[in-house]
Amino acid sequence: MTSTETIIEIKNLSTEFGNTQVHKDINLSIKRGEVIAIVGGSGCGKTTLLREMLGLTQPTSGSIKIFDQDILLASPEILLKIQRRFGVLFQENALFSSLNLLENVAFPLHEHTRLDKNMIQELALLKILMAGLPSSAAVKYPAMLSGGMQKRAGLARAIVLDPELIFLDEPTAGLDPNTASGLDELVLNLQATMGLTIVIITHDLDTLWTVTDRVAFIGEGVILDVAPLAELVKNPHPLIKEFFSGSRGRTAEASHSKGKDKHGN
Ligand SMILES: Nc1ncnc2c1ncn2[C@@H]1O[C@H](COP(=O)(O)OP(=O)(O)OP(=O)(O)O)[C@@H](O)[C@H]1O
Ligand SMILES: [Mg+2]
């Protein structure tokens, strides 16, 4: 359920790398409980915006408030406290190859809590099950897991500290269509059961149709539009039209009840 409370507020954000201006003036407000996707052409600055929200890259100017705290002005201690309240699934999963699944998922609990070892193992196992993985997978190493299982493992780790907010970078990239739709379902389930706010960067039109409440489209350094997908696809801006046209866009739209989004609009 989307509430009226703002959980992330990005204002007048600009980003330059040398002479290249990636973001000119990004303004975006994300509500608690919503699933929002950030999309746009390659190189428009999606990953950069994500890294800025995570506190890993500094924008040139503007402000980013998360949980009402300006993360660009926050001290390292405050930033760490904010970071502890969100989870991230990186595009490459970023699982430690030398740790088994249970150890990978338990890692943030060792880092951020003082729970005893048994409790940590139990909590990690619970999250592994919530991510739709069998308990028998707990002792396996990342290289022994399929692509879809690795994503689920990354998701289990992203939710292990019971975050309010999670960021997912291309969660279905490289997965076959069945595995991808299983992951979309999992994201929806987690959103419903944990009341999460979810920010997804994705190129996957099926994911956009199935799981998002709103989609923010970046182009020309600004948010060109942010709206439920069924509305966004009608925007006549050439960059938006181009993104959703072509056989890829039409197939996805047709297979989701003739352009009906998650809410049947
Ligand atoms: N650290 C950096 N130094 C210099 N240029 C950078 C840096 N990071 C990103 N860029 C440039 O900023 C632009 C936006 O990059 P970004 O990775 O955010 O795009 P994107 O929207 O995620 O693209 P894609 O869909 O291909 O992943 C690109 O032109 C990229 O080359
Ligand atoms: Mg990217």
Side-chain angles (χ1 to χ4, degrees), residues 66-80:
I66 301 188
F67 310 126
D68 253 338
Q69 304 248 27
D70 191 326
I71 61 160
L72 305 176
L73 303 175
S75 64
E77 293 77 28
I78 298 282
L79 188 60
L80 203 67

Side-chain angles (χ1 to χ4, degrees), residues 164-234:
E164 296 153 65
L165 166 68
I166 55 173
F167 297 96
L168 310 177
D169 195 0
E170 299 283 2
T172 58
L175 302 180
D176 66 76
N178 272 338
T179 310
S181 77
L183 222 81
D184 287 340
E185 232 167 81
L186 172 63
V187 169
L188 274 179
N189 271 336
L190 291 177
Q191 196 281 331
T193 51
M194 300 181 75
L196 287 166
T197 308
I198 305 184
V199 181
I200 309 182
I201 294 189
T202 186
H203 283 95
D204 188 327
L205 290 159
D206 290 313
T207 301
L208 292 179
W209 282 110
T210 321
V211 310
T212 64
D213 295 303
R214 290 194 305 156
V215 179
F217 194 103
I218 305 185
E220 297 164 350
V222 301
I223 303 284
L224 288 174
D225 195 2
V226 50
L229 188 58
E231 232 176 278
L232 184 78
V233 293
K234 294 184 190 133

